[in-house]
Amino acid sequence: MAPIEFIGRYLSGFFDYGIADEVHELKGETAQGNALGTIAAACERTVILTGTLLGGYADELFNILYRLDARMMREEGFDHGEGGVRQFAEAYGVLEKVTTIEPSEHACSKAKVSTTVKRRPGASPLLFGKYLMNLAAFVSLEDISDALPAYHEEVLSVDMDPVLERAYSELEESITDALREHHGNSSVMSTAMNALLLYPDRPFGMGTLYGYRTNEETGERERFIIAEPADLDPAFHYAKERRLVDEIKSELAQGRKVQVFAVYTQKRDVTRRLQELLSQEGIRAEILSADVPPEQREAWYERHLRNGMQVCICHPKLVQTGLDLLDFPTILFYETGYSTYVLRQASRRSWRIGQKQPVRVGFLTYANTAQESCLRLMGKKLLVSLALEGKLQGDGLQSMDDDDDLLTAMARELVTRQGVGERAAEVWKSLQIERGEASEVSNGAVQPHPEDGSTREAEFDATRPLIEPSSAAVQLSLF
């Protein structure tokens, strides 16, 4: 018999407390999620812990709240299951209703009307007041930040090389035409936007991009060409790669090891190329892959650090929970991905109790590309989740009505060129200003890069404390 089944059947009321960690992983209809409900029902009191309560959508709290107190949810009129989730999203989330009217070809027939309802990032402040204010205690590392070293994060924007810029512009134009021609086709949107995110980092070996549509006459699924990205020289070191190498060399010169995160690790692997580039520069870089079981990853780090590892490259999801990367005070996101859960967890792996050095987190991105749009929208979306954790910045509440999901928002911006209108660096800097960090970080000056002419933030001095010891404790960062 499974232990959780035994507890639910025979040990009801036996335990005084049930404690569950990383509860954001249990929000879905999974066996682990159902186990949380069993523990909550069997124990007198239940304590749940998480560093990322919300990923941007109100209904992500539904199953967690239901498992903690099903009676309360039923009294509020919410049934368990899809119907209840939909009711909860209607009451506390943001839904978008889209009605499409297609005129008929025959004068005597009526037009075809279709309606779809999509959920959008956001949550009503009532959700915080009704369910979380009396149920949750929000304690974060910022509350003890006066006992931790400085934490600083910045966007490192890089201008593309001319040859890559031309190839990217051609790909972007082809994808824009495909999005307009096949409006609402999810296969086009997903394939196209992932291609725009990946292509600048790996502008070769992409192959032809295909989408799928249903033939109205035959009802069969047909494949069509979205775009054919140009194959550039794989031996050339591109601007973002050069910037990454420069940043790593600068950090290693100060005795600071570097953790690099990249999200494309499968069919079109970026991590192997980064390892080769660093090896050519005499830098000892290792790749942590998903083949290493979670319970062995800490030992993997210790073993390779003893063997002289200077840089570790991996997908951020592999280390987002359970690992303290105290040996890597510098974290560089070569790619971020879409998940606010993963981003928030992975960016804090080094800034933990026991860290002695100032922590620096950098987000590398190509300027004026889908990468910058994604990072900017992630910054906006993070404020939504922070609002539900009691950190009620004005921008976060306002952004609840502004943004779609990331892919849709990026696609709309690409087609209409009417996006948020801010550079990613400006968005992330404004977040730090609101949290009281920027006053001690730098004067915000943007200076030309000495080699490639691109703009960058003022140099970060790892030896200078961002907050004077005599000053009052302030919240240091976004999360």
Side-chain angles (χ1 to χ4, degrees):
M1 178 182 292
I4 196 66
E5 183 182 353
F6 184 86
I7 291 174
R9 184 175 298 181
Y10 299 112
L11 296 180
S12 179
F14 177 81
F15 298 101
D16 294 322
Y17 283 92
I19 302 177
D21 196 12
E22 305 295 353
V23 175
H24 63 276
E25 301 281 358
L26 309 179
K27 66 182 186 298
E29 288 288 354
T30 62
Q32 284 184 320
N34 294 333
L36 172 62
T38 302
I39 290 176
C43 300
E44 293 295 325
R45 298 171 181 84
T46 306
V47 179
I48 63 171
L49 310 170
T50 178
T52 49
L53 180 63
L54 195 74
Y57 299 95
D59 55 18
E60 290 170 332
L61 282 176
F62 178 82
N63 284 328
I64 294 176
L65 292 173
Y66 219 103
R67 286 159 181 157
L68 293 179
D69 194 342
R71 178 183 299 177
M72 174 190 67
M73 296 296 284
R74 286 194 297 268
E75 290 176 352
E76 294 293 333
F78 300 118
D79 298 324
H80 187 265
E82 288 298 324
V85 173
R86 186 166 55 251
Q87 291 175 318
F88 193 81
E90 291 173 353
Y92 299 108
V94 179
L95 299 179
E96 180 182 60
K97 183 177 180 180
V98 180
T99 301
T100 305
I101 302 176
E102 299 178 2
S104 175
E105 297 179 358
H106 305 288
C108 297
S109 61
K110 296 182 180 180
K112 180 181 179 182
V113 180
S114 59
T115 302
T116 58
V117 178
K118 300 179 181 179
R119 68 170 187 165
R120 294 179 58 188
S124 168
L126 294 175
L127 180 59
F128 175 79
K130 192 173 185 65
Y131 294 101
L132 300 181
M133 185 177 293
N134 297 324
L135 185 67
F138 297 98
V139 182
S140 60
L141 283 174
E142 286 89 346
D143 298 322
I144 56 169
S145 59
D146 57 331
L148 287 173
Y151 178 93
H152 174 66
E153 46 192 26
E154 61 182 322
V155 174
L156 307 175
S157 184
V158 182
D159 291 328
M160 287 190 289
D161 298 290
V163 60
L164 177 58
E165 186 175 8
R166 287 193 297 271
Y168 179 85
S169 297
E170 293 174 359
L171 174 61
E172 188 179 64
E173 184 178 349
S174 299
I175 286 177
T176 301
D177 294 339
L179 288 171
R180 286 175 175 155
E181 182 179 353
H182 304 279
H183 179 70
N185 188 318
S186 59
S187 70
V188 176
M189 185 181 299
S190 177
T191 302
M193 301 317 299
N194 275 288
L196 287 178
L197 290 172
L198 170 62
Y199 184 75
D201 296 336
R202 197 177 184 277
F204 49 85
M206 286 281 291
T208 304
L209 303 179
Y210 293 99
Y212 296 89
R213 62 189 171 197
T214 302
N215 190 307
E216 295 183 358
E217 296 181 357
T218 63
E220 296 181 354
R221 194 164 180 254
E222 297 179 343
R223 188 174 73 168
F224 62 91
I225 295 177
I226 299 174
E228 296 184 1
D231 274 341
L232 303 186
D233 185 6
F236 184 75
H237 296 178
Y238 296 92
K240 190 175 172 183
E241 297 170 340
R242 299 195 302 269
R243 180 64 178 274
L244 177 67
V245 172
D246 291 342
E247 293 288 341
I248 291 176
K249 285 183 175 180
S250 175
E251 296 298 317
L252 292 178
Q254 301 177 50
R256 298 165 58 87
K257 294 183 175 64
V258 182
Q259 173 72 54
V260 177
F261 290 131
V263 298
Y264 292 99
T265 60
Q266 298 296 322
K267 181 178 179 181
R268 298 180 176 92
D269 192 0
V270 173
T271 59
R272 297 294 174 186
R273 176 173 175 83
L274 296 181
Q275 184 187 36
E276 292 174 2
L277 293 175
L278 294 174
S279 298
Q280 293 173 12
E281 299 293 332
I283 299 172
R284 178 70 181 272
E286 300 292 344
I287 297 176
L288 173 64
S289 67
D291 295 334
V292 181
E295 64 274 10
Q296 298 180 15
R297 288 170 189 168
E298 186 174 358
W300 183 95
Y301 269 97
E302 294 175 354
R303 182 172 65 256
H304 285 282
L305 284 170
R306 287 196 301 268
N307 294 334
M309 177 176 64
Q310 297 172 297
V311 178
C312 179
I313 308 170
C314 71
H315 194 295
K317 197 171 182 64
L318 298 183
V319 299
Q320 66 169 328
T321 56
L323 281 177
D324 291 340
L325 304 181
L326 301 179
D327 294 297
F328 298 86
T330 299
I331 293 177
L332 297 177
F333 280 84
Y334 194 74
E335 297 159 345
T336 60
Y338 307 107
S339 173
T340 54
Y341 288 114
V342 175
L343 179 68
R344 292 182 64 185
Q345 292 276 356
S347 64
R348 288 306 186 88
R349 288 301 93 197
S350 296
W351 200 56
R352 319 295 291 179
I353 295 175
Q355 179 60 264
K356 304 299 183 183
Q357 303 184 62
V359 173
R360 179 194 181 204
V361 178
F363 303 92
L364 279 85
T365 179
Y366 275 117
N368 303 316
T369 65
Q371 291 182 353
E372 188 176 59
S373 298
C374 178
L375 190 56
R376 182 182 65 247
L377 292 169
M378 286 282 281
K380 292 286 185 178
K381 190 177 177 183
L382 282 171
L383 283 176
V384 178
S385 60
L386 289 172
L388 266 296
E389 297 174 17
K391 303 167 186 176
L392 301 173
Q393 289 90 347
D395 284 354
L397 296 176
Q398 294 168 5
S399 69
M400 291 181 181
D401 295 326
D402 293 339
D403 296 339
D404 283 308
D405 64 276
L406 287 176
L407 283 180
T408 303
M410 290 162 61
R412 177 178 291 121
E413 180 175 344
L414 178 64
V415 174
T416 65
R417 295 298 181 185
Q418 295 176 354
V420 179
E422 298 174 274
R423 295 288 292 272
E426 296 170 352
V427 173
W428 286 78
K429 184 183 291 184
S430 68
L431 299 182
Q432 293 195 26
I433 291 174
E434 290 202 11
R435 300 302 297 271
E437 178 182 355
S439 59
E440 294 292 333
V441 173
S442 68
N443 59 8
V446 179
Q447 303 172 350
H449 194 275
E451 296 179 1
D452 57 15
S454 61
T455 60
R456 63 166 294 168
E457 303 296 327
E459 292 292 339
F460 172 66
D461 184 4
T463 63
R464 179 174 63 86
L466 301 187
I467 299 178
E468 298 299 331
S470 59
S471 63
V474 297
Q475 293 181 338
L476 288 180
S477 184
L478 298 177
F479 317 128

